[in-house]
């Protein structure tokens, strides 16, 4: 890495095996089926984190902003291979450019019944990422850590059912749900988080509520 000091605290936290956060319900793995997502940072002083907008035609979470990733295939060597394979399929990421930093503990997702492991990685940002398969990916986004930690970006997102959780408001883009929890958690682990107004509650826009 060109900027190891930027990721030093995050690497130390990942090496120490972070304890799973409580996010409203028991997320302990169920062992039914597994998936992996890729939390991909650019190797820069102010790293950018890659997100995708899920295609409108997806059966679950259509139009929502997420991390690249998907289900484990029988031929995958490990969860890092799953995350990198899916990122290549979704956004055209070349795996040989990626350095794996570690993993977050797997979390169970009730809607899909997957145990989802977050693979945390760095890449130099050497080529543009794009929506390679429009059946899966509607758009690709990159938001810098300085944007994600800004108090102007941070809020609690409120679901019509009453659930509240971390959210990120970036122009007309709204990140909530498991993705927002994972990003919020990683910003804390990396020592990047700054205080923000936890009294700011934003309703989740209707277009991000489809499932």
């Amino acid at each position: 890495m060109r900027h190891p000091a930027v990721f030093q605290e995050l690497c130390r936290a990942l090496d120490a095996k972070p304890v799973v956060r409580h996010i409203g319900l028991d997320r302990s793995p169920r062992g039914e089926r597994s998936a992996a997502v890729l939390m991909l940072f650019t190797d820069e002083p102010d790293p950018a984190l890659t997100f995708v907008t899920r295609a409108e035609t997806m059966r679950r979470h259509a139009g929502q902003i997420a991390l690249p990733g998907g289900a484990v295939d029988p031929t995958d060597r490990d969860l890092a291979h799953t995350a990198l394979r899916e990122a290549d399929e979704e956004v055209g990421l070349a795996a040989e450019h990626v350095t794996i930093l570690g993993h977050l503990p797997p979390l169970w997702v009730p809607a899909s019944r997957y145990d989802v492991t977050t693979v945390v990685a760095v890449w130099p940002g050497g080529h543009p990422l794009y929506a390679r398969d429009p059946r899966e990916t509607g758009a690709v986004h990159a938001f810098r850590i300085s944007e994600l930690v800004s108090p102007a970006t941070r809020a609690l997102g409120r679901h019509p059912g009453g659930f509240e959780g971390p959210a990120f408001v970036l122009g007309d883009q709204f990140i909530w749900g498991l993705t927002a929890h994972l990003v919020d958690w990683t910003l804390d682990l990396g020592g990047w988080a700054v205080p923000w107004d936890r009294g700011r509650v934003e309703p989740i826009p209707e277009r991000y509520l489809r499932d």
Side-chain angles (χ1 to χ4, degrees):
M1 286 190 295
R2 291 174 299 171
H3 302 91
V6 174
F7 301 98
Q8 184 175 19
E9 191 166 342
L10 177 59
C11 289
R12 190 162 46 236
L14 294 173
D15 288 344
K17 308 298 181 188
V19 177
V20 174
R21 280 185 169 184
H22 177 74
I23 54 175
L25 72 160
D26 179 11
R27 294 277 189 166
S28 58
R30 301 302 198 267
E32 298 177 35
R33 46 188 181 170
S34 298
V37 296
L38 186 66
M39 187 167 292
L40 182 68
F41 294 98
T42 53
D43 187 3
E44 300 177 276
D46 184 13
L49 179 57
T50 298
F51 297 87
V52 298
T53 295
R54 291 170 60 84
E56 300 289 340
T57 53
M58 296 292 285
R59 286 183 299 171
R60 291 193 175 275
H61 311 300
Q64 293 188 17
I65 298 178
L67 300 171
V72 172
D73 278 355
T75 55
D76 290 341
R77 295 188 300 273
D78 52 29
L79 290 166
H81 184 236
T82 300
L84 291 170
R85 174 183 53 75
E86 287 283 343
D88 177 37
E89 293 172 3
E90 293 179 18
V91 302
L93 176 69
E96 62 266 25
H97 297 153
V98 178
T99 299
I100 303 297
L101 302 184
H103 304 70
L104 294 178
L107 298 175
W108 180 64
V109 179
S112 63
R113 305 197 68 81
Y114 277 101
D115 299 331
V116 178
T117 296
T118 303
V119 178
V120 184
V122 171
W123 76 304
H127 63 270
L129 302 179
Y130 62 100
R132 183 175 182 181
D133 185 350
R135 296 171 300 177
E136 294 191 40
T137 307
V140 181
H141 314 275
F143 298 118
R144 296 200 175 272
I145 286 177
S146 58
E147 296 176 278
L148 294 168
V149 302
S150 170
T153 298
R154 303 302 310 270
L156 289 175
R158 176 176 289 164
H159 190 276
F163 168 82
E164 291 182 358
F168 298 84
V169 185
L170 297 129
D172 63 351
Q173 309 295 335
F174 195 95
I175 304 171
W176 72 284
L178 180 64
T179 300
H181 278 289
L182 294 172
V183 174
D184 178 59
W185 189 6
T186 303
L187 293 176
D188 282 347
L189 292 175
W192 296 311
V194 299
W196 53 280
D197 180 9
R198 295 178 182 271
R200 178 190 176 191
V201 180
E202 298 285 346
I204 299 167
E206 186 174 349
R207 72 186 181 102
Y208 292 108
L209 287 170
R210 289 169 293 167
D211 200 357

